[in-house]
Amino acid sequence: MTEHAVAGQEKAAATPQRKIRIGDLLVSNGVITEAQLMSALAEQKKTGQKLGYTLVDMGLIDELRLLEFLSQQLQIPLVDIAGYRADPEVVRLLPETVARRYRVVVLENRDQDVLLGMADPTDLCAYDEASRLLKKRVRQAVVREADLLRMLGRWYQDQQAIDELAGELHQELADGDVDLQRMLTSTAA
């Protein structure tokens, strides 16, 4: 892990917490009012997005404050992955479609477990699918969604570009569009 990880990463949850009602927790902890929660729930019903994002979009809570709150309530670390030096092989332990669909990224792979950065650590479907595919104990960490998407773009898009170039080169070679002998003789001259 890098200096970007918040202390306490070793205490990352090995099993997901039961489904929490983030709105109720925010109200009971005095972060938002009951009226603000009701307003956000009405807006959420219109937009279909998750309540946390709705609260942030409405300006009722700052994204970092929401993530810190989730980290504290779920007793999992908040990891700052902006500028994080991830191992591409570790990131790609999950297929891109799964990583993007569930907004998750493998940050660390150890013999006995993996550290999974999650934009929404309360998403039990995401946790279950990652656990099933990784076949290891999963420790959770909460990460900023924008940073996670940038990381996924950096690691998966780079691989996609290489794959596309390799495919184009293979096709050119198969079509005979490339005269290797001419290329060899022109570089030798």
Side-chain angles (χ1 to χ4, degrees):
M1 222 36 355
T2 70
E3 67 279 0
H4 295 288
V6 172
Q9 69 188 10
E10 291 302 317
K11 295 178 184 172
T15 57
Q17 303 292 318
R18 63 177 171 73
K19 186 70 176 166
I20 63 166
R21 295 175 50 106
I22 190 69
D24 292 339
L25 283 173
L26 290 167
V27 169
S28 67
N29 283 279
V31 178
I32 62 172
T33 66
E34 184 72 33
Q36 289 172 322
L37 174 59
M38 291 300 119
S39 175
L41 288 170
E43 182 65 21
Q44 178 196 26
K45 195 171 187 177
K46 290 182 211 167
T47 65
Q49 70 183 136
K50 294 190 179 233
L51 181 60
Y53 301 127
T54 302
L55 291 165
V56 170
D57 289 348
M58 292 177 68
L60 298 175
I61 188 169
D62 173 79
E63 181 185 19
L64 184 57
R65 174 104 192 262
L66 175 64
L67 297 178
E68 288 169 343
F69 183 81
L70 278 172
S71 172
Q72 181 181 36
Q73 290 297 315
L74 297 174
Q75 299 177 347
I76 62 174
L78 168 59
V79 178
D80 179 5
I81 60 171
Y84 185 85
R85 293 187 185 165
D87 178 345
E89 289 183 25
V90 170
V91 171
R92 291 188 195 116
L93 286 173
L94 285 176
E96 180 178 9
T97 53
V98 172
R100 289 188 185 280
R101 177 178 182 192
Y102 292 111
R103 304 290 199 251
V104 297
V105 63
V106 181
L107 299 173
E108 186 179 277
N109 183 26
R110 300 189 309 191
D111 290 337
Q112 68 277 17
D113 60 23
V114 296
L115 179 63
L116 186 69
M118 304 179 72
D120 180 3
T122 66
D123 185 341
L124 296 179
C125 291
Y127 178 89
D128 289 345
E129 183 66 5
S131 295
R132 184 184 70 77
L133 292 171
L134 295 167
K135 296 177 175 57
K136 284 188 175 183
R137 179 175 160 253
V138 173
R139 295 177 297 127
Q140 295 173 281
V142 63
V143 298
R144 289 189 62 220
E145 182 176 28
D147 294 339
L148 181 141
L149 292 174
R150 268 192 295 281
M151 178 183 270
L152 294 179
R154 189 167 59 239
W155 293 113
Y156 287 109
Q157 293 296 355
D158 290 349
Q159 184 62 46
Q160 182 179 354
I162 290 168
D163 291 345
E164 286 174 9
L165 287 173
E168 288 173 20
L169 180 59
H170 176 74
Q171 188 60 46
E172 287 178 11
L173 289 171
D175 293 344
D177 292 344
V178 177
D179 185 348
L180 291 177
Q181 188 59 43
R182 187 171 51 110
M183 289 175 69
L184 288 173
T185 56
S186 68
T187 56

